[in-house]
Amino acid sequence: MITSLRRFLFLLVPLSILSTTYLYFYPTFHRCGFPLPSDSTRPAPFRLLALGDPQLEGDSSLPDPDEALFPSLGNLWQDLLASGSASQGLLVIQHCLSGFFLSDIPRTLRSNRKRLDLLGNDYYLAHIYQTLQWALEPTHVTVLGDLLGSQWISDKEFERRGWRYWNRVFKDGLRVDDEITAGIHVGTLSQEGVWKRRIINVAGNHDVGYAGDLTRERLQRFERVFGRANWETRFVLPNKGPDHDISALPALRIVVLNSLNLDTPAVDPELQTDTYKYINSIITASRPVEDQTSATILLTHVPLHKAKGVCVDGPWFDFYDEDEGGGLKEQNHLSYNAGKGILEGIYGMSGNPHAPYGGLGRNGIILTGHDHEGCDVYHHLPADSEPESRRWSAEKRNASREDCDSAIPGIREITVRSMMGEFGGNAGLLSAWFDEEHQRWRQFHAQIQAQVLPTSMSSTITADQWDQRKEEILRLYIDEGWTLKPIKRKFECPDFHPTKVPSPDQLQRVPISHQAEEMEAEKAQAEAPTSSKYGWLFLMHDRSTSIGLELYGGRVTDA
């Protein structure tokens, strides 16, 4: 017995040491780091750690705390007293014990498992943040919206999740002071070490709601706990001498924008007006378009408009019924006009070649969240049409194409993949530095994943459940053009829980049924076995523009 235990420990201890080492040094093992300036081994002066959509859950996913712990036993004594005979009393006891063992105990176990799951998830997200802070030494940190999992939670639950956010997930992180966000703060990059601890929080739809349910009360509680939703700050390079005017030094501009009420209808038009006034103030306070010594990094939640198939989430809008106010209920992207306003307003780009700086606009980059899968696109005005009648277009970013198209208006937008475990514990790394030779800012982006595979891949769905839904899902997706997120929401229920494969590189591990062949599986870069044991619903965008494939459903078992 002792010998067997020694052998077991002999194997377990080295494995534990190796696993723990990897867990804390995974950025090193994956050789991840902030991009370095060209022809330099010194780190960039601005290094932004960008995290997307942590979505902390809470009591809405737990049983009602006011309910009895074991409700089946709640009336046992009263029912026994009311029973007329010993046989009836035995039936009462049998009924109560049956409910206790078959209902109450499993319910309690599920509840405790969920509480443990929430605790583990908090520390999982905290591990990502703390490890990357220590290993990569960012100068700034942002969370690109959906800090919490629901805008509908009570104020008490909001405060509870806010406490978890600041005391578990981002422990030692600091809320950006109202004194900084109230005006245009100007700092020096080399002297702003405190920003490493400040968390630049962006408002997401699960924090404050979409335009149709974004009320002043929801916005105020978000700003009280996490910081102002609309604000900007600027960082300049170190002053080179006493005669330098700080306003003339190369500057990096950080603009935080609440994009949730840019589109209509809005439940609070005054709040929407405030957002547009803020955008106008950004434009007014900008340096001239010709001044390329300034660059703007826009941090917002909802991605800009792009055609279906460019990213995982295609264009999608949903609205409340008239009796519910008729407001905007949900959206995947900003509308074309809202996105155009950002590109042509904040960045000053134009299809008119006679506009200032030839219409090329201000230097910068856009970081967004919302689409959990992430995306990297280039917004531009196509060169093969009349200059003043061109419409903005977005396509998967190609660095060489972007360099070749530097003579046309365009800008890069990075939708940062979610940091949730289901999506690999992702983080975005953005470096920016000033190119002295060309007198302009350069920005480069990389990403890192904690490499955690989703547990949802093992979920099961019976063949009957699959057959009842697959035709309707296919009809909505193919015939009516629904995107996958609303399809998932429509059909999700306790016995049918569709999930997304978190990244295309895992497709080789996933069995695909004949459903794939019916939907052009020959285009896929994964095998498609025809065994009836597997019933994955296979949905695919246009391969010419898509970042990859999507799988919905679960492994089908015999009913």
Side-chain angles (χ1 to χ4, degrees):
M1 178 68 179
I2 296 177
T3 303
S4 299
L5 180 60
R6 285 177 177 174
R7 290 176 179 174
F8 177 73
L9 292 176
F10 182 78
L11 295 174
L12 181 62
V13 170
L15 182 61
S16 300
I17 294 174
L18 289 174
S19 300
T20 303
T21 302
Y22 172 80
L23 190 63
Y24 284 92
F25 291 91
Y26 72 86
T28 303
F29 285 113
H30 290 284
R31 304 177 72 177
C32 291
F34 285 96
L36 295 174
S38 305
D39 302 323
S40 174
T41 58
R42 298 181 61 185
F46 179 84
R47 303 182 299 279
L48 177 66
L49 172 61
L51 303 169
D53 301 73
Q55 289 195 0
L56 299 190
E57 294 184 358
D59 68 353
S60 59
S61 58
L62 295 171
D64 187 346
D66 295 329
E67 291 184 2
L69 181 60
F70 301 119
S72 298
L73 303 181
N75 296 321
L76 175 60
W77 181 247
Q78 292 87 338
D79 292 342
L80 282 175
L81 293 177
S83 61
S85 64
S87 59
Q88 289 181 342
L90 289 175
L91 289 175
V92 168
I93 294 175
Q94 180 182 5
H95 176 75
C96 290
L97 290 179
S98 176
F100 175 73
F101 286 107
L102 298 181
S103 178
D104 294 353
I105 289 182
R107 173 183 172 275
T108 301
L109 291 176
R110 286 194 300 269
S111 173
N112 291 332
R113 183 198 65 80
K114 186 61 181 178
R115 288 188 174 91
L116 182 62
D117 180 59
L118 293 176
L119 181 66
N121 184 69
D122 286 355
Y123 284 110
Y124 167 79
L125 298 174
H127 177 74
I128 294 172
Y129 167 67
Q130 293 170 1
T131 301
L132 296 181
Q133 272 276 24
W134 168 77
L136 304 182
E137 296 187 337
T139 60
H140 298 75
V141 181
T142 183
V143 182
L144 294 164
D146 281 0
L147 287 55
L148 310 182
S150 174
Q151 71 270 37
W152 303 106
I153 56 179
S154 66
D155 290 344
K156 181 179 179 181
E157 175 61 15
F158 190 94
E159 296 291 339
R160 186 181 295 118
R161 296 192 200 188
W163 183 92
R164 288 164 50 199
Y165 185 89
W166 289 116
N167 293 277
R168 284 185 191 163
V169 180
F170 295 99
K171 188 177 181 180
D172 299 328
L174 299 175
R175 175 183 178 276
V176 181
D177 296 333
D178 292 337
E179 292 77 9
I180 293 175
T181 61
I184 300 179
H185 170 268
V186 179
T188 305
L189 282 176
S190 63
Q191 300 174 352
E192 293 294 324
V194 67
W195 279 94
K196 181 177 181 178
R197 293 182 58 200
R198 288 174 176 154
I199 309 297
I200 303 173
N201 291 313
V202 177
N205 55 286
H206 288 305
D207 305 316
V208 298
Y210 294 99
D213 45 44
L214 200 172
T215 63
R216 195 168 296 276
E217 291 73 22
R218 287 197 176 103
L219 183 62
Q220 286 174 346
R221 72 179 184 180
F222 173 86
E223 294 187 328
R224 182 180 67 254
V225 176
F226 299 110
R228 202 179 303 271
N230 288 321
W231 61 281
E232 71 163 291
T233 186
R234 302 179 187 184
F235 300 98
V236 298
L237 292 177
N239 198 326
K240 299 179 181 179
D243 298 331
H244 279 78
D245 180 4
I246 194 170
S247 64
L249 291 174
L252 197 60
R253 188 184 194 191
I254 310 299
V255 173
V256 180
L257 172 64
N258 171 23
S259 55
L260 274 307
N261 60 358
L262 291 183
D263 286 302
T264 57
V267 68
D268 191 330
E270 290 185 5
L271 275 183
Q272 187 177 58
T273 300
D274 291 342
T275 299
Y276 276 101
K277 286 181 178 178
Y278 167 66
I279 293 177
N280 289 334
S281 71
I282 294 173
I283 299 170
T284 303
S286 298
R287 291 187 182 182
V289 175
E290 299 89 345
D291 185 355
Q292 293 296 296
T293 64
S294 174
T296 299
I297 299 177
L298 176 63
L299 307 178
T300 192
H301 183 64
V302 183
L304 275 64
H305 173 82
K306 48 191 70 71
K308 180 180 179 181
V310 175
C311 298
V312 171
D313 283 350
W316 169 262
F317 282 85
D318 193 15
F319 302 90
Y320 286 105
D321 295 334
E322 289 300 324
D323 58 354
E324 298 175 302
L328 178 58
K329 185 177 182 180
E330 183 178 0
Q331 63 187 126
N332 282 351
H333 302 158
L334 295 177
S335 65
Y336 174 85
N337 287 332
K340 178 183 178 182
I342 289 175
L343 297 172
E344 298 184 2
I346 294 177
Y347 288 96
M349 291 183 281
S350 171
N352 182 1
H354 304 294
Y357 198 56
L360 296 179
R362 298 182 177 90
N363 187 14
I365 194 169
I366 301 171
L367 297 184
T368 58
H370 199 48
D371 184 343
H372 295 172
E373 300 286 353
C375 200
D376 190 351
V377 303
Y378 187 66
H379 296 273
H380 64 101
L381 288 171
D384 56 354
S385 57
E386 291 296 324
E388 296 189 14
S389 62
R390 291 178 291 181
R391 286 178 58 85
W392 287 98
S393 177
E395 60 184 43
K396 293 295 294 180
R397 178 180 176 270
N398 182 300
S400 59
R401 167 76 181 274
E402 184 178 332
D403 292 338
C404 292
D405 288 350
S406 59
I408 66 172
I411 194 169
R412 184 181 181 187
E413 177 197 359
I414 299 169
T415 300
V416 177
R417 187 178 174 89
S418 171
M419 71 182 296
M420 291 187 287
E422 182 181 356
F423 300 92
N426 183 79
L429 311 175
L430 179 70
S431 294
W433 61 90
F434 189 70
D435 185 338
E436 294 283 358
E437 180 181 353
H438 297 92
Q439 288 293 292
R440 64 181 286 122
W441 287 89
R442 305 287 185 184
Q443 307 96 25
F444 286 92
H445 172 267
Q447 69 176 18
I448 179 175
Q449 288 184 288
Q451 303 297 326
V452 177
L453 296 179
T455 57
S456 58
M457 292 288 290
S458 61
S459 62
T460 60
I461 298 172
T462 67
D464 285 346
Q465 294 166 350
W466 182 259
D467 291 336
Q468 290 171 7
R469 295 170 173 87
K470 65 181 180 183
E471 290 186 5
E472 178 66 7
I473 293 175
L474 290 170
R475 184 187 67 80
L476 292 174
Y477 183 77
I478 298 174
D479 298 336
E480 298 193 13
W482 283 40
T483 56
L484 298 179
K485 185 182 289 185
I487 290 178
K488 179 179 184 291
R489 184 177 300 105
K490 177 179 176 63
F491 288 93
E492 195 167 27
C493 61
D495 66 344
F496 189 85
H497 186 68
T499 56
K500 282 191 283 190
V501 171
S503 63
D505 60 9
Q506 294 181 22
L507 291 175
Q508 295 288 349
R509 309 174 196 166
V510 180
I512 306 173
S513 78
H514 62 280
Q515 297 290 335
E517 298 174 5
E518 296 175 5
M519 301 184 67
E520 304 179 319
E522 66 275 5
K523 297 181 182 178
Q525 297 178 354
E527 297 179 358
T530 58
S531 169
S532 61
K533 287 287 184 179
Y534 300 97
W536 291 90
L537 173 60
F538 178 83
L539 301 175
M540 184 174 67
H541 296 297
D542 180 2
R543 288 293 295 172
S544 65
T545 56
S546 174
I547 62 167
L549 313 173
E550 290 186 356
L551 298 170
Y552 266 65
R555 186 170 181 172
V556 171
T557 60
D558 295 329

